[in-house]
Amino acid sequence: MDFESILEEVGDFGKYQKSLLFKFMVPTTLASAFYVLNVIFMVASPDHWCYVPELSSLNFTEDEVRKISIPKLPDGTFSKCTMYAHNYTALAAEYKATGKFPEFRPSGKIIPRRPVQKCNHGWVYQKDWYEETIVSQWDLVCDKNYLPSLVLTLANAGSVLGTFLFSAVADKQGRKTAFLANIVVAVVSGVLSILSPTFAVFAILRTVTGSTVPANFQLPYIITVEQVGSRQRSFLVCISWLLWTLGACCLAMVAYISRHWTTLGLLTTLPFGAFLAYKSYLKQSPRFLMTQARCEEAADVIEKIAKINGCKIPSELLPKLKKISENVKSNDVSATNESMLDLFKYPQLRKKLFVVTLNWTAIAVAYFGLTLNVTNLGKNDFLNFFLLSAVELPAFPLALLMMEKVGRRWSNTVFVLFTGVACLVPSFLTKDMGTSAIAASMMGKFGSAAAFMVTYQQAAELYPTSVRAFGMGIGSVVSSLAVICMPYVCYLSVYNKAIPFLMIGALCVSAGLTAPLVPETLNRRLPQTVQDSEEFGTGNGCLPCCSSSDQIKDEEEVVDSTNI
């Protein structure tokens, strides 16, 4: 008797679980995308040029002012940080008296090689797409143009710390408590950051906001998945990612309508406060209660689930739960005989750790790097963001299909290499990363989204039970640390738009070439101990036809990554 058997008796996907899915997981996951990704539009840098107050009083269009006062760069665009060094007061007075500038030739072209200087009266920001962002509010351009990337880096650093913090709260105080605490911190820090009087205060508060990001997305899924049967978990993984993607698509439309960073921030943050109403709706996860030896409370929750689902309450429920709880504790004690050092001690396990972590890091860098780079693609940021989000929708069902038909190893290899090639090819074939950059981003986002699902499932199946949490924890931490650097990788696009694509593509191709080095796990008996892991897959070739028949596993032996 295990917990899955009890859950089947009371209904593992009945009225209670469906209510939890549609009333809780769907709205919170959709809203999570709004809250997590809104900062991308907040830190966007509108086109800008030096402000010349003397010319602003004249009846000139913006284009005419730039032709008079702003030098052109070799690529034909106007300079963003320099202006012609002239006495504009005298020029304006002469124009009012004579109706022309001495710097103009009869053809209307400006005389070249005039002296230039830095902007000394601030900047003018184009408002075709944005009414205002933090860049235009605090003039984070030219010598300060690295500061928007700093905000994203601090937010990513905060997410690493928040992963440990809210995971600890969830494991000690319960998933429900962690979720409610996360909502409070998210709303308070999010609203205060929007009301920040200075950039420094804003950056600090966005670090706090970033700490809520991982749990913001993960906790609704965990709360739901812990109360459904094992057969529905892969379905919920796909649903969770699809909801995230739909939320991202809707965010592009909300950002397009609002145009102002404070309006966008409030629209995507304040509604989170309504989720505190779930305090009376949510019940503590019975799985969590059993890990804390709170079997009486777990029994009460299970009885309520059975009543809502219209099922009978299992006989001798409390004694069964106590026995399951004792077995879990004894397994935890035996697992302590294995340690994280075993991941590095044994050669086969060490190879799996290296390959899985490298691929995990590569796809995380690609997925989040391409998302952050969307405002560097030019043209319409909102349309670009929508396209990069929408392209994920077919990626998740395709990943599920290929995992079951082709296997984990070759699915991961194909998707990671596809992402790398998609980013590399346009970088070498075209000098102007215009439309090709958008196409590369869309294909790369498609491949990395699909690879994310495959790699997570593959990692859970490759590691033996005793060190599975350690192995997956290493992959998560290393990839998170790599993602911290991505805002500054994207920042390099100010020098050449191809640089982020080259770096992402090179990493993904390198990782994809190592992906076939690990054994296939589809329809195989999976390793339970370190010794099993050393022997697992050593006699198999790279192709499915080369696998030995004794590796085929029973259906009940499949490791589900969501049950780790």
Side-chain angles (χ1 to χ4, degrees):
M1 173 66 69
D2 58 11
F3 185 79
E4 293 295 335
S5 300
I6 293 177
L7 197 58
E8 287 181 6
E9 289 188 51
V10 300
D12 59 1
F13 199 62
K15 185 177 179 181
Y16 171 82
Q17 287 85 359
K18 291 174 182 177
S19 172
L20 194 62
L21 171 62
F22 290 107
K23 293 182 180 180
F24 173 65
M25 181 176 154
V26 168
T28 53
T29 306
L30 277 171
S32 177
F34 284 82
Y35 177 79
V36 172
L37 300 174
N38 61 10
V39 70
I40 294 175
F41 295 103
M42 290 184 183
V43 303
S45 181
D47 191 18
H48 53 276
W49 56 89
C50 296
Y51 174 60
V52 183
E54 294 85 354
L55 299 182
S56 63
S57 61
L58 304 179
N59 191 25
F60 287 146
T61 65
E62 289 182 346
D63 190 54
E64 289 173 332
V65 170
R66 281 190 289 182
K67 287 180 179 179
I68 295 169
S69 60
I70 307 299
K72 281 194 172 183
L73 301 176
D75 62 1
T77 61
F78 287 102
S79 172
K80 299 177 185 296
C81 302
T82 59
M83 56 187 285
Y84 288 123
H86 285 306
N87 184 342
Y88 287 99
T89 302
L91 293 178
E94 184 172 344
Y95 176 80
K96 290 179 180 179
T98 64
K100 63 179 180 180
F101 284 101
E103 285 71 27
F104 274 81
R105 289 179 175 177
S107 62
K109 294 184 178 179
I110 299 174
I111 299 174
R113 297 181 181 177
R114 289 183 289 169
V116 297
Q117 65 184 33
K118 291 185 177 181
C119 305
N120 51 16
H121 295 289
W123 292 263
V124 176
Y125 295 92
Q126 195 172 56
K127 296 187 176 182
D128 289 353
W129 299 115
Y130 297 98
E131 183 66 27
E132 186 174 71
T133 69
I134 68 164
V135 173
S136 56
Q137 174 159 335
W138 289 306
D139 287 335
L140 307 180
V141 294
C142 298
D143 293 341
K144 297 180 181 179
N145 65 354
Y146 64 93
L147 291 176
S149 296
L150 177 63
V151 172
L152 298 174
T153 297
L154 291 174
N156 288 336
S159 72
V160 175
L161 298 176
T163 298
F164 294 103
L165 174 63
F166 286 103
S167 294
V169 174
D171 289 339
K172 295 297 183 182
Q173 303 299 323
R175 282 70 164 124
K176 175 181 175 180
T177 303
F179 171 77
L180 295 174
N182 181 274
I183 293 299
V184 171
V185 175
V187 173
V188 172
S189 63
V191 172
L192 289 178
S193 70
I194 296 166
L195 303 177
S196 299
T198 65
F199 170 76
V201 175
F202 175 82
I204 293 171
L205 288 171
R206 293 311 296 189
T207 306
V208 178
T209 300
S211 69
T212 67
V213 166
N216 204 288
F217 173 73
Q218 295 168 1
L219 282 173
Y221 168 74
I222 291 173
I223 290 172
T224 305
V225 82
E226 286 188 342
Q227 300 182 70
V228 303
S230 58
R231 290 172 296 180
Q232 285 77 35
R233 288 174 189 156
S234 295
F235 164 73
L236 285 183
V237 171
C238 187
I239 290 296
S240 181
W241 278 104
L242 287 173
L243 289 170
W244 166 274
T245 301
L246 287 173
C249 292
C250 294
L251 171 63
M253 292 183 279
V254 173
Y256 175 78
I257 294 171
S258 61
R259 302 295 182 102
H260 198 290
W261 75 276
T262 57
T263 304
L264 175 64
L266 292 174
L267 286 175
T268 54
T269 303
L270 286 176
F272 256 70
F275 294 153
L276 292 174
Y278 283 122
K279 180 180 180 180
S280 59
Y281 173 78
L282 291 176
K283 300 175 179 62
Q284 282 285 15
S285 165
R287 292 181 190 268
F288 163 75
L289 293 173
M290 289 175 61
T291 63
Q292 303 296 307
R294 294 159 60 180
C295 296
E296 290 82 2
E297 296 176 58
D300 289 340
V301 175
I302 292 173
E303 288 175 3
K304 291 177 182 177
I305 293 175
K307 182 178 179 180
I308 294 173
N309 288 343
C311 299
K312 292 183 179 180
I313 298 173
S315 59
E316 299 182 349
L317 176 59
L318 185 57
K320 290 178 180 178
L321 293 179
K322 288 182 177 179
K323 185 175 181 180
I324 294 171
S325 180
E326 291 173 0
N327 290 338
V328 170
K329 284 186 177 180
S330 63
N331 290 336
D332 289 342
V333 171
S334 63
T336 59
N337 294 327
E338 309 284 357
S339 72
M340 187 169 62
L341 294 178
D342 291 323
L343 288 167
F344 304 95
K345 181 179 179 181
Y346 295 92
Q348 290 297 321
L349 199 51
R350 188 166 58 239
K351 180 180 72 174
K352 294 169 187 173
L353 175 67
F354 170 77
V355 173
V356 169
T357 302
L358 177 60
N359 279 267
W360 195 327
T361 302
I363 60 177
V365 163
Y367 184 88
F368 292 105
L370 293 172
T371 301
L372 296 177
N373 195 53
V374 68
T375 56
N376 295 325
L377 298 178
K379 299 182 180 179
N380 189 330
D381 290 350
F382 310 103
L383 179 60
N384 293 342
F385 187 89
F386 176 83
L387 293 175
L388 261 65
S389 300
V391 76
E392 296 178 38
L393 293 174
F396 303 124
L398 178 62
L400 284 175
L401 178 64
M402 286 192 64
M403 277 197 297
E404 297 303 319
K405 299 298 182 181
V406 180
R408 282 70 158 133
R409 174 173 56 178
W410 286 108
S411 295
N412 189 53
T413 302
V414 168
F415 287 129
V416 176
L417 285 177
F418 177 81
T419 302
V421 172
C423 291
L424 284 177
V425 170
S427 305
F428 289 111
L429 294 183
T430 60
K431 292 183 179 180
D432 179 23
M433 289 287 289
T435 305
S436 63
I438 299 174
S441 297
M442 291 180 64
M443 291 187 289
K445 196 76 179 297
F446 174 89
S448 59
F452 241 132
M453 289 191 65
V454 178
T455 297
Y456 194 78
Q457 181 71 28
Q458 184 187 41
E461 296 175 345
L462 280 172
Y463 295 126
T465 304
S466 55
V467 293
R468 183 173 295 123
F470 287 135
M472 297 188 71
I474 290 173
S476 178
V477 170
V478 172
S479 62
S480 296
L481 291 174
V483 169
I484 290 176
C485 304
M486 288 314 297
Y488 281 104
V489 172
C490 296
Y491 168 76
L492 295 176
S493 65
V494 300
Y495 303 105
N496 191 316
K497 287 188 176 182
I499 293 177
F501 293 97
L502 287 171
M503 297 182 71
I504 292 172
L507 180 59
C508 286
V509 169
S510 300
L513 293 175
T514 68
L517 298 179
V518 296
E520 178 57 65
T521 58
L522 178 64
N523 297 327
R524 309 285 166 81
R525 291 190 180 94
L526 301 178
Q528 301 299 314
T529 66
V530 170
Q531 189 58 41
D532 290 343
S533 180
E534 285 300 287
E535 298 173 357
F536 178 70
T538 54
N540 296 333
C542 288
L543 298 176
C545 62
C546 300
S547 302
S548 55
S549 59
D550 62 344
Q551 292 290 326
I552 302 301
K553 66 184 176 183
D554 296 328
E555 182 179 355
E556 62 269 18
E557 292 180 290
V558 176
V559 173
D560 194 314
S561 65
T562 60
N563 199 26
I564 305 305

